[in-house]
């Protein structure tokens, strides 16, 4: 399973990578700074791939919600699970995330090492 990080803040991406490394997650990590880039990446992928994507919902350009909507509207021939990452503590965002089949979790920033240790065991990374 490949891990994809989508966040407009390069510091958040760096922090996620460091925490994954400390948690012993050694999968390939691919990062994007906006929703448009990750959608272009997915358009080029074929069947057989498995992805776990950490998706920020508040980004300039395409928001994380818009990325999820686009993914709902296109046929993708691979497995994709999404963890929403956000600084939002709004219950409405948490509820909205549950309406997307691919969303498997909702994380509020900042993250801890324990979050990634738990992730490693949950997804057998």
């Amino acid at each position: 399973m490949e891990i994809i990080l989508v966040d407009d803040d390069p510091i958040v991406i760096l922090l996620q990578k460091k925490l994954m490394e400390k948690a012993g997650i050694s999968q390939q990590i691919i990062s994007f700074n906006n929703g448009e880039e990750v959608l272009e990446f997915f358009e080029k992928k074929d069947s057989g791939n498995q992805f776990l994507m950490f998706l920020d919902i508040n980004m300039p350009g395409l928001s994380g919600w818009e990325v999820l909507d686009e993914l709902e509207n296109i046929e993708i021939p691979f497995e994709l699970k999404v963890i929403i990452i956000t600084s939002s503590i709004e219950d409405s965002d948490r509820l909205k995330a549950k309406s997307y089949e691919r969303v498997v979790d909702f994380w509020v920033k900042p993250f801890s090492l324990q979050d990634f240790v738990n992730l490693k065991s949950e997804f057998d990374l």
Side-chain angles (χ1 to χ4, degrees):
M1 180 176 288
E2 294 179 60
I3 296 175
I4 297 175
L5 309 178
V6 185
D7 199 302
D8 61 311
D9 186 343
I11 301 299
V12 171
I13 288 177
L14 179 63
L15 177 63
Q16 287 175 304
K17 287 180 178 179
K18 291 292 183 189
L19 289 171
M20 285 181 196
E21 185 180 304
K22 285 186 177 195
I25 297 171
S26 60
Q27 272 69 13
Q28 178 179 354
I29 299 172
I30 305 162
S31 60
F32 298 96
N33 294 330
N34 61 61
E36 293 86 355
E37 289 177 355
V38 75
L39 288 175
E40 287 175 22
F41 171 80
F42 283 140
E43 287 174 3
K44 298 173 185 166
K45 289 296 172 188
D46 54 11
S47 61
N49 294 71
Q50 290 183 316
F51 299 98
L52 176 61
M53 177 169 62
F54 289 80
L55 180 63
D56 185 15
I57 57 174
N58 296 314
M59 295 184 291
L62 284 181
S63 71
W65 299 127
E66 291 168 320
V67 169
L68 287 169
D69 289 340
E70 287 293 322
L71 290 170
E72 294 287 318
N73 293 326
I74 60 173
E75 191 76 27
I76 56 174
F78 49 81
E79 183 181 344
L80 172 62
K81 295 179 181 176
V82 178
I83 295 176
I84 296 292
I85 56 171
T86 183
S87 54
S88 170
I89 56 171
E90 296 294 323
D91 286 337
S92 60
D93 284 334
R94 194 174 291 277
L95 286 171
K96 184 174 183 175
K98 290 180 179 182
S99 72
Y100 292 93
E101 186 179 317
R102 291 186 175 92
V103 175
V104 296
D105 212 342
F106 187 96
W107 291 14
V108 177
K109 299 174 188 176
F111 317 115
S112 71
L113 178 57
Q114 191 60 48
D115 291 326
F116 289 95
V117 169
N118 295 345
L119 177 80
K120 182 179 179 183
S121 62
E122 183 179 344
F123 288 96
D124 196 28
L125 299 173

